[in-house]
Amino acid sequence: MAKQTVLVVDNGAQYAQLIARRVREAGVYSEIVSHKMSASEVIAREPAAIILSGGPASVHVEGAPQLDPAIVEAGIPVLGICYGFQQMATALGGSVERIGEREYGSTEISATGGIVGEGEQTVWMSHGDRVARAPEGFTVTASSASSPIAAFEDRARRLYGVQWHPEVRHTPGGQEMLRRFLVEGAGLEPTWTAGNIIDDQISRIRDQIGDSPVICGLSGGVDSAVAAALVQRAVGDQLTCVFVDHGLLRAGEREQVERDFVEATGVKLVTCDDAQIFLDALAGISEPEAKRKTIGREFIRSFERAARQIRTDREAGFLVQGTLYPDVVESGGGEGAANIKSHHNVGGLPDDLAFELCEPLRELFKDEVRAVGRELGLPEAIVSRQPFPGPGLAIRIIGEVTAERLDVLRRADLIVREELTAAGLDEEIWQCPVVLLADVRSVGVQGDGRTYGHPIVLRPVTSEDAMTADWARVPADVLARISSKITNSVEEVNRVVLDVTSKPPGTIEWE
């Protein structure tokens, strides 16, 4: 059976990626596309359903994303959320008007049936316009104090709209409402599970690779580990894993890969000691994108050297990478996304790449990758490991990367990880980048002397998939211990600061 795909049309919403995740949590595959995609292109992809996201614009403003009526007249189930709800109303002959005050935050609605359910509910609103008249044939199914038409539906045509945001946790019944749209409103089957993902990807991998030798670049992170385990399940001994020690790793990471992953899978592993090669290539480079692209290029060169050393009857023609859907979206590969940064798996590869890429996780979010890893039998120490970027500590040094700066950051990072583990916070914190401001010095006092040391930035965050994040409220006593230990034992550092920025507007990594 062909995979059912729900297309999430991104109208510039902060939560477009979150909508896509919530659809997948309901057991249906989803992808994000831009509102700039034409109706004919959308329809040609034969989506099982379409969700129109919210957005910051008003439908009355010139240049605001508009909805081609052909999309809602194509017989495809459609759900409009917030701005998408107002788009639907306008495209189908209803009307939208400005309200006196924005309806923002937790709001009480009264629902009267359909996919929104019945009774009084708390939902999350964020809008300054409201639907004043529903299109002909639609039934109003919810209202609030400021929005008499807060939801509507035309069940015969399978068209639905809500003014609030069901995808956010602040709408307690939101996930169930999305499930009702998908299953009851659109008639879809919730078949997107870890087991089905594995079966689907194994089939794809075998079709792509055939009987060719293949190598996989292991980084020590969960993404490359799960990608390697999937490919090994598909093609067995055709796979050789290559671990490139680029000298940009945290303390103990090489040992973890060589011990834990090999013990768990029995995979063939070749380790390349290329730290000096990477340091030489990074010399004099401070610009973040240049670092990423340099590291991406050198990774490939390392894999090419390793492939020549792996003695098989044929040279490996495929390279496995742990690229995820957020990597693709943030690198501009998702049609609804701006290019936030190049990713070493996506935008940092050389033009003369000697391999064909195999990216079995390219459609998945991080939580789906972890579920697949557990289904494949990988140990929890690997599956639940905090994300760590492929370019390693290089993008956590603000400035040029040198051996001395790497040593400073590595020592500080180890202290942070040990203290967070000792405090029992590993499961509460999604990720905690430790950043060295290498090109910055601040005045300090250590002993009886005045110092000019480097600041260290702590960036603990909570997240579900790295598409959005909030800074983690680490207890003050834990932060105090971390600061004291770093400034006492890493003599080059005399100041520890905490990054309290959410994503958006900031990214999780600093570079």
Side-chain angles (χ1 to χ4, degrees):
M1 182 180 66
K3 180 167 62 181
Q4 307 169 112
T5 300
V6 173
L7 293 184
V8 177
V9 178
D10 183 1
N11 285 310
Q14 177 181 348
Y15 297 122
Q17 295 87 359
L18 188 54
I19 296 170
R21 283 197 68 255
R22 296 293 182 243
V23 171
R24 294 186 186 199
E25 287 176 7
V28 180
Y29 178 69
S30 62
E31 291 182 0
I32 302 165
V33 299
S34 171
H35 65 85
K36 296 178 182 178
M37 179 179 282
S38 69
S40 59
E41 290 175 302
V42 170
I43 295 167
R45 294 183 61 163
E46 299 182 343
I50 295 170
I51 297 180
L52 308 173
S53 83
S58 166
V59 294
H60 301 299
V61 174
E62 183 178 353
Q66 298 298 316
L67 176 64
D68 189 328
I71 289 178
V72 287
E73 294 169 354
I76 302 167
V78 179
L79 170 64
I81 293 175
C82 195
Y83 182 82
F85 170 56
Q86 296 168 10
Q87 277 183 317
M88 289 181 69
T90 303
L92 291 167
S95 65
V96 174
E97 66 181 9
R98 198 78 181 161
I99 58 177
E101 293 183 8
R102 287 178 57 84
E103 194 169 38
Y104 182 82
S106 293
T107 304
E108 297 300 315
I109 64 162
S110 178
T112 59
I115 67 164
V116 299
E118 296 184 353
E120 302 300 313
Q121 301 177 29
T122 300
V123 301
W124 187 264
M125 294 279 198
S126 179
H127 65 104
D129 293 347
R130 67 183 177 189
V131 174
R133 186 179 74 256
E136 186 176 349
F138 279 76
T139 301
V140 176
T141 56
S143 61
S144 71
S146 296
S147 299
I149 304 174
F152 57 42
E153 63 182 53
D154 183 337
R155 187 167 286 265
R157 289 193 287 170
R158 299 187 296 176
L159 302 177
Y160 307 84
V162 297
Q163 183 60 72
W164 62 89
H165 288 275
E167 72 274 19
V168 302
R169 296 299 187 194
H170 302 294
T171 300
Q175 185 63 18
E176 174 59 20
M177 195 220 84
L178 285 172
R179 187 204 66 78
R180 283 196 293 265
F181 164 70
L182 296 167
V183 176
E184 300 172 15
L188 307 184
E189 297 180 23
T191 57
W192 182 250
T193 64
N196 286 339
I197 292 170
I198 291 171
D199 293 341
D200 178 55
Q201 286 302 326
I202 285 175
S203 176
R204 290 193 193 188
I205 292 164
R206 288 172 177 165
D207 288 344
Q208 180 186 14
I209 291 176
D211 61 357
S212 173
V214 55
I215 64 174
C216 176
L218 282 180
S219 68
V222 62
D223 305 337
S224 62
V226 173
L230 257 178
V231 174
Q232 186 190 40
R233 179 74 63 91
V235 300
D237 288 342
Q238 291 170 231
L239 172 69
T240 300
C241 288
V242 176
F243 176 66
V244 177
D245 186 349
H246 50 24
L248 309 173
L249 300 168
R250 297 182 296 186
E253 289 191 300
R254 173 171 173 169
E255 294 76 13
Q256 184 185 52
V257 171
E258 293 179 326
R259 180 187 66 243
D260 295 347
F261 186 74
V262 173
E263 286 183 2
T265 63
V267 74
K268 293 182 291 184
L269 178 66
V270 173
T271 300
C272 301
D273 293 297
D274 287 350
Q276 194 58 51
I277 293 174
F278 278 80
L279 274 177
D280 290 344
L282 288 166
I285 298 175
S286 297
E287 202 274 324
E289 283 295 279
K291 286 185 192 177
R292 288 179 178 273
K293 292 185 177 182
T294 298
I295 293 166
R297 182 191 69 233
E298 293 304 325
F299 258 119
I300 297 303
R301 300 299 173 237
S302 293
F303 296 144
E304 290 170 347
R305 288 191 293 272
R308 290 191 290 268
Q309 296 168 10
I310 298 168
R311 297 302 176 189
T312 63
D313 57 343
R314 286 177 298 158
E315 190 170 296
F318 292 89
L319 172 65
V320 179
Q321 292 203 127
T323 309
L324 304 191
Y325 193 51
D327 302 331
V328 176
V329 172
E330 291 200 343
S331 299
E335 291 138 353
N339 189 341
I340 297 172
K341 62 184 178 184
S342 70
H343 186 271
H344 70 287
N345 286 352
V346 181
L349 300 179
D351 294 333
D352 59 344
L353 182 66
F355 303 99
E356 180 178 337
L357 292 182
C358 175
E359 299 173 304
L361 310 181
R362 190 180 176 89
E363 297 178 341
L364 306 184
F365 287 98
K366 179 74 76 172
D367 54 339
E368 294 170 320
V369 172
R370 295 191 198 280
V372 168
R374 293 185 178 100
E375 188 80 9
L376 289 168
L378 292 179
E380 195 62 29
I382 292 175
V383 173
S384 62
R385 186 176 184 269
Q386 285 189 6
F388 185 63
L393 297 179
I395 60 169
R396 294 180 178 177
I397 294 175
I398 309 303
E400 182 184 5
V401 179
T402 67
E404 294 75 17
R405 290 173 172 184
L406 283 166
D407 177 64
V408 170
L409 180 54
R410 198 172 280 123
R411 284 182 282 143
D413 175 87
L414 181 59
I415 291 170
V416 174
R417 286 189 288 144
E418 288 177 341
E419 288 302 317
L420 292 177
T421 298
L425 296 174
D426 286 344
E427 292 187 6
E428 295 181 29
I429 295 176
W430 166 269
Q431 192 176 1
C432 186
V434 179
V435 181
L436 173 65
L437 303 185
D439 286 346
V440 176
R441 288 185 180 271
S442 63
V443 178
V445 177
Q446 290 172 307
D448 294 325
R450 188 179 182 87
T451 65
Y452 291 94
H454 297 292
I456 282 283
V457 180
L458 308 182
R459 175 66 166 141
V461 298
T462 58
S463 182
E464 292 184 342
D465 54 24
M467 300 302 293
T468 60
D470 193 13
W471 64 280
R473 274 59 169 177
V474 178
D477 60 329
V478 177
L479 293 173
R481 283 198 301 273
I482 290 172
S483 177
S484 177
K485 286 194 174 184
I486 289 176
T487 52
N488 284 332
S489 60
V490 184
E491 59 273 14
E492 297 88 346
V493 175
N494 66 357
R495 193 177 299 270
V496 176
V497 300
L498 179 66
D499 183 345
V500 294
T501 313
S502 64
K503 176 187 178 180
T507 55
I508 294 177
E509 298 289 348
W510 273 47
E511 291 196 341

